[in-house]
Amino acid sequence: MINEANINLNCLLVGNGFALDVYLPALIKSGINKIFINKDCNSENYKNPILHKYSEYILSINNQEQEEKIFDYTIIAVSPEKQYNLLINNRYLKNTNILILEKPIAPSAIQAYEIYKRLDKFSIKYLINYSFRYSFWYKSLLSNINKLPKNIELVFNWQFRARHFIHKRISWKKFHSQGGGAIRLYGIHLIALMSDLGYEEIEDTEVSFESVDELSYFSCFLKANKKLPRCKLLINSNSSENSFCCFYIKNNQKFNLLELDSPFPYIHCKSLEDPRIETTKSLLKDRNFNYNNLAVIELWRKIEDKILLRK
């Protein structure tokens, strides 16, 4: 159902790919029907057939018009390196009410911290699309985890084959140094979830590279604390299996908390459209600007620091 309160809202949408395939339909389904795309910066966008499907909602804008206009939303969905460069140069920070960024917000934790400080300096209202926060299973899973005893081992195991491996594409999503790979592109979802739960310290991290910069596998142990049990994270982005599960082990027995074929399963959708559209609609409704994004960056940094110690 379209939220009529959103009808007069506008949005500047920056990027192609995910921006057009997921954010664009999510915006329209949320009732935001004035969507600006910068024709000076996004000439490639106009080749995407989805723009014809939603042409009545698309408004072209040039650089000068963009600088003079105030937007209700600005959504940036580009590579981490490009996003970092845009934000470090103060682009999109002065004429938007709500800024939505893709994860990771920069190629590395150190650069992400720079962006965090800049957003804080400008007192920007912003959200980062850590999509698990907006998934249908998130709240109930965290509630169940918070009820667990400490004398167990909690496990998250995510197995899948990323599209760049399936189609043998050369993409930034493959490369750790560019913000891709099992930790920075995929693992950051779980790192944000772990931070939301209250995990702060790492015991150990293990990784596997397909080549020098193609990090396809990582696992780590998070230390137990006063409220939470020890936890293992495992992600394999070049696996022959498709599974996303959370379970705990107590007295050598396994107890499932969540068992899906993907964190964004099609079975939960009302149609065959990309299931991430529904998740993104939930993101667009979010008005909690008090997430501890610094804690996410710190946990990410500590995970990667443990890799450096193992070399």
Side-chain angles (χ1 to χ4, degrees):
M1 182 178 293
I2 289 176
N3 183 350
E4 292 185 0
N6 289 341
I7 287 176
N8 293 319
L9 299 180
N10 66 46
C11 176
L12 174 65
L13 185 57
V14 181
N16 42 48
F18 191 81
L20 299 182
D21 296 336
V22 176
Y23 275 113
L24 178 58
L27 285 161
I28 293 164
K29 290 173 185 291
S30 298
I32 300 169
N33 58 15
K34 296 176 183 175
I35 301 163
F36 290 89
I37 293 178
N38 189 319
K39 59 188 177 184
D40 293 338
C41 299
N42 296 279
S43 59
E44 286 298 311
N45 279 352
Y46 290 90
K47 299 176 183 177
N48 192 317
I50 200 168
L51 288 181
H52 297 290
K53 180 178 179 179
Y54 295 120
S55 59
E56 64 184 292
Y57 305 103
I58 306 298
L59 299 166
S60 293
I61 194 168
N62 61 35
N63 286 334
Q64 183 177 346
E65 292 168 333
Q66 179 180 306
E67 290 177 7
E68 294 170 351
K69 190 169 183 61
I70 301 296
F71 300 98
D72 297 301
Y73 290 91
T74 294
I75 297 175
I76 303 178
V78 296
S79 71
E81 185 175 3
K82 186 172 182 179
Q83 182 167 252
Y84 170 79
N85 288 331
L86 289 172
L87 296 174
I88 211 71
N89 291 316
N90 299 337
R91 293 291 300 276
Y92 310 109
L93 298 186
K94 298 178 181 178
N95 61 339
T96 188
N97 294 326
I98 298 174
L99 181 64
I100 296 179
L101 305 174
E102 265 305 304
K103 52 75 206 164
I105 60 171
S108 70
I110 292 172
Q111 290 168 302
Y113 179 72
E114 291 180 59
I115 297 302
Y116 168 82
K117 294 297 290 182
R118 187 159 295 256
L119 293 169
D120 186 58
K121 176 184 176 182
F122 282 89
S123 300
I124 302 293
K125 287 184 179 179
Y126 71 97
L127 296 165
I128 301 171
N129 189 14
Y130 297 126
S131 300
F132 289 2
R133 282 178 178 163
Y134 306 102
S135 298
F136 69 93
W137 47 262
Y138 175 81
K139 289 182 180 179
S140 61
L141 179 62
L142 264 64
S143 176
N144 289 332
I145 290 172
N146 281 320
K147 297 172 186 175
L148 294 175
K150 279 193 61 180
N151 61 335
I152 63 162
E153 181 171 288
L154 182 65
V155 179
F156 280 86
N157 190 336
W158 187 10
Q159 306 276 333
F160 64 102
R161 179 159 289 152
R163 291 180 184 177
H164 51 260
F165 286 122
I166 294 172
H167 301 293
K168 299 181 180 179
R169 295 173 181 160
I170 301 299
S171 166
W172 67 265
K173 295 178 181 181
K174 268 189 175 186
F175 303 116
H176 182 69
S177 64
Q178 296 179 36
I183 295 179
R184 294 179 174 183
L185 178 59
Y186 303 113
I188 197 69
H189 284 299
L190 280 177
I191 293 168
L193 190 156
M194 294 295 102
S195 177
D196 290 350
L197 276 167
Y199 284 100
E200 296 179 339
E201 300 298 333
I202 309 300
E203 289 182 12
D204 201 4
T205 304
E206 181 180 344
V207 300
S208 176
F209 288 87
E210 299 286 326
S211 63
V212 174
D213 196 28
E214 294 181 37
L215 197 159
S216 61
Y217 168 96
F218 102 96
S219 66
C220 73
F221 282 100
L222 296 96
K223 289 182 180 179
N225 58 37
K226 291 181 180 179
K227 296 181 179 180
L228 295 162
R230 186 173 187 251
C231 179
K232 181 179 183 180
L233 304 183
L234 190 154
I235 295 180
N236 186 347
S237 64
N238 194 15
S239 172
S240 58
E241 300 177 25
N242 284 303
S243 68
F244 181 76
C245 59
C246 176
F247 57 89
Y248 67 91
I249 298 170
K250 183 177 181 181
N251 298 327
N252 295 320
Q253 285 187 286
K254 177 182 173 183
F255 299 89
N256 285 325
L257 294 172
L258 181 69
E259 193 168 11
L260 301 168
D261 62 357
S262 161
F264 314 107
Y266 278 90
I267 194 170
H268 189 71
C269 292
K270 297 176 183 177
S271 67
L272 293 177
E273 68 182 10
D274 192 317
R276 296 171 298 176
I277 293 172
E278 282 299 311
T279 304
T280 305
K281 283 169 60 182
S282 297
L283 163 68
L284 294 172
K285 294 176 187 175
D286 195 358
R287 290 299 178 270
N288 178 10
F289 303 107
N290 297 313
Y291 291 110
N292 192 344
N293 292 308
L294 179 59
V296 178
I297 294 169
E298 279 296 301
L299 194 59
W300 171 14
R301 180 188 61 78
K302 289 174 182 178
I303 286 171
E304 295 198 358
D305 282 351
K306 292 292 184 180
I307 298 173
L308 294 175
L309 290 174
R310 292 173 61 87
K311 287 185 178 180

